[in-house]
Amino acid sequence: MSKMKMLVYGCGFNGFSQIAAFCFDDLKYKYERRGFNKHYKQTLPINLFELKENDNLISLVNTWSQTAMTIKNNDTSTSYLNGFKCNDNNEDDSICTYTNQLVIASTDKDILLKSYSNQLPFGIVANDNSSPQAVNIIGAESLTLIAGDHLDFHAVYDGSKFGKLTISYTGDDNGQNGIYFIQKIINTRILIKEVSCGKEHVLLLTNCGTLFSYGIGSRGQLGQSSVDTKKVPTLLDALNGIEIRKISAGGWHSTAISDVGDLYVWGWNDCGQLGLAAYKENVLTNVQTEPQYVHFSDECCMKSVACGSRHTVILLDDGKVFASGWNCYGQLGLGHTEDQKTFVPVTTLLYHCDQVFAGQWNTFFVCQN
């Protein structure tokens, strides 16, 4: 029996070729335009490329204008970044290729990579409209997880300590010899296995499935029953006793999937990104300060969730995809640009999907053919 082909699709904002740039040649990963429509709105999921045998798309992140991904084949990984000036290539929408470098996190303007063969160094920060440069990180030998918010990277240090990475330049005026140092280290005294950042808030998932949040809570994104700011990671009492296995932070909203496949959402709901418009009629749904359970049919279990700036995409165990929220650029993949207040099926995807990724104003899908 032949192996099922895996196809990568993308939709949403394309003003800087975030989608079009990754329309690769089928025989090898090579940048090729193929006459791709460079219109800035792509409302239908477009097949970008086919994953070759033994390929796995292991990470995909977005800045507001660029996309980066890592594809792993056996013991070799290759990362692709669009929109940067690579070597002597002066094309604005060129593809940068890095062998055995993993894309691990992004802010609104930077993309961070690390070596695949060794955990050290966390070596390359790709700055907007400049050539990527190597940096050093103080304490990098103990860093285990990194995630990015609006401007900064946040790191788990020594398994249970958490802090913000702040850049400091020690070289010439061109910013050479930049180093990152860990600022405001917080000893959480809990082992952290996953970190997800919104624009102004951070979610921390522990090894035992408990969830903590901290940062700005002005839109209820912390899930702490208030809009107060939390300066240290604080346990979400509303989910205490429920084992969480997956988290994703949007711009100003948050999501979590429990060990039995239930979905919980909270935070800002101005565009319907929480998918709660169909119920909670007596509650102001623009801001939800506590986690709310999203009901699907009893046969459905959530496999994964991905949050963009103001949209949410969920993947079910049966391979179906649902989306809600802001759809100005077609990031929901529905073929139009109307916002969705509840989760609706993405029927434009005709095949069983295995992965979903959400960028600022984009969504990417990995589906079987």
Side-chain angles (χ1 to χ4, degrees):
M1 181 181 295
S2 60
K3 182 180 179 181
M4 189 74 69
K5 294 181 179 179
M6 302 302 296
L7 305 178
V8 179
Y9 296 84
C11 60
F13 185 55
N14 192 43
F16 296 89
S17 294
Q18 298 98 311
I19 302 173
F22 290 101
C23 195
F24 293 133
D25 182 85
D26 286 336
L27 299 180
K28 57 183 178 180
Y29 293 122
K30 178 182 177 182
Y31 176 59
E32 181 176 286
R33 295 301 299 183
R34 282 188 181 175
F36 197 100
N37 182 4
K38 199 178 178 181
H39 195 274
Y40 72 102
K41 293 183 180 182
Q42 182 58 52
T43 63
L44 287 170
I46 292 296
N47 177 213
L48 304 181
F49 59 92
E50 176 185 321
L51 289 171
K52 296 180 291 187
E53 187 174 1
N54 298 322
D55 274 2
N56 291 290
L57 181 58
I58 61 174
S59 65
L60 189 152
V61 300
N62 291 86
T63 69
W64 74 277
S65 60
Q66 294 126 350
T67 303
M69 65 180 70
T70 299
I71 296 172
K72 185 174 182 294
N73 186 300
N74 296 322
D75 294 330
T76 301
S77 66
T78 306
S79 292
Y80 303 90
L81 286 69
N82 84 300
F84 297 94
K85 296 178 180 179
C86 313
N87 301 322
D88 295 327
N89 190 340
N90 294 320
E91 295 182 29
D92 291 336
D93 54 3
S94 60
I95 290 287
C96 304
T97 303
Y98 297 95
T99 302
N100 290 329
Q101 295 284 335
L102 300 180
V103 171
I104 57 172
S106 67
T107 64
D108 280 1
K109 66 183 185 67
D110 297 330
I111 292 173
L112 183 62
L113 296 88
K114 76 177 185 71
S115 171
Y116 171 72
S117 59
N118 191 325
Q119 290 188 353
L120 295 176
F122 285 85
I124 299 174
V125 173
N127 296 306
D128 189 16
N129 295 324
S130 65
S131 299
Q133 69 178 63
V135 298
N136 298 314
I137 298 179
I138 297 176
E141 65 276 8
S142 300
L143 289 181
T144 54
L145 295 169
I146 295 183
D149 64 12
H150 175 48
L151 296 174
D152 301 297
F153 292 107
H154 299 264
V156 176
Y157 179 84
D158 196 24
S160 62
K161 297 177 182 178
F162 188 79
K164 182 172 71 174
L165 295 179
T166 301
I167 195 166
S168 174
Y169 291 111
T170 60
D172 56 32
D173 292 338
N174 293 322
Q176 298 302 310
N177 300 318
I179 61 172
Y180 271 104
F181 63 92
I182 302 175
Q183 184 183 46
K184 297 180 180 179
I185 294 177
I186 300 170
N187 189 354
T188 64
R189 298 183 181 179
I190 53 176
L191 292 178
I192 302 169
K193 71 174 183 179
E194 187 175 354
V195 179
S196 186
C197 298
K199 295 287 188 182
E200 302 168 323
H201 74 292
V202 181
L203 302 179
L204 303 173
L205 180 61
T206 72
N207 281 358
C208 59
T210 54
L211 185 57
F212 289 72
S213 64
Y214 94 104
I216 294 177
S218 59
R219 295 175 176 87
Q221 60 264 50
L222 299 185
Q224 301 287 351
S225 304
S226 73
V227 293
D228 296 338
T229 293
K230 298 294 183 181
K231 295 184 178 180
V232 296
T234 305
L235 176 69
L236 265 75
D237 287 331
L239 294 178
N240 196 15
I242 300 174
E243 184 176 346
I244 302 299
R245 63 174 172 84
K246 179 66 179 177
I247 57 174
S248 182
W252 297 271
H253 69 290
S254 304
T255 62
I257 297 177
S258 73
D259 63 331
V260 296
D262 291 336
L263 176 67
Y264 296 89
V265 298
W266 62 96
W268 204 20
N269 195 35
D270 65 319
C271 296
Q273 55 264 52
L274 302 186
L276 295 176
Y279 40 91
K280 294 288 179 183
E281 295 179 358
N282 297 322
V283 178
L284 179 64
T285 57
N286 276 350
V287 172
Q288 290 289 346
T289 62
E290 292 186 0
Q292 303 291 324
Y293 169 68
V294 179
H295 178 72
F296 275 71
S297 67
D298 294 336
E299 293 77 21
C300 293
C301 288
M302 308 299 161
K303 177 180 179 180
S304 181
V305 59
C307 296
S309 179
R310 288 188 288 170
H311 74 286
T312 305
V313 182
I314 54 177
L315 174 65
L316 273 56
D317 279 344
D318 61 6
K320 295 178 182 177
V321 177
F322 286 74
S324 70
W326 191 43
N327 195 32
C328 176
Y329 297 104
Q331 54 264 53
L332 302 187
L334 303 174
H336 58 72
T337 57
E338 297 177 5
D339 294 351
Q340 298 298 305
K341 302 298 183 180
T342 60
F343 285 104
V344 297
V346 184
T347 56
T348 53
L349 295 168
L350 303 179
Y351 310 112
H352 181 286
C353 292
D354 286 351
Q355 294 173 281
V356 291
F357 300 89
Q360 304 273 345
W361 306 331
N362 295 95
T363 310
F364 295 85
F365 314 87
V366 180
C367 304
Q368 299 175 6
N369 184 358

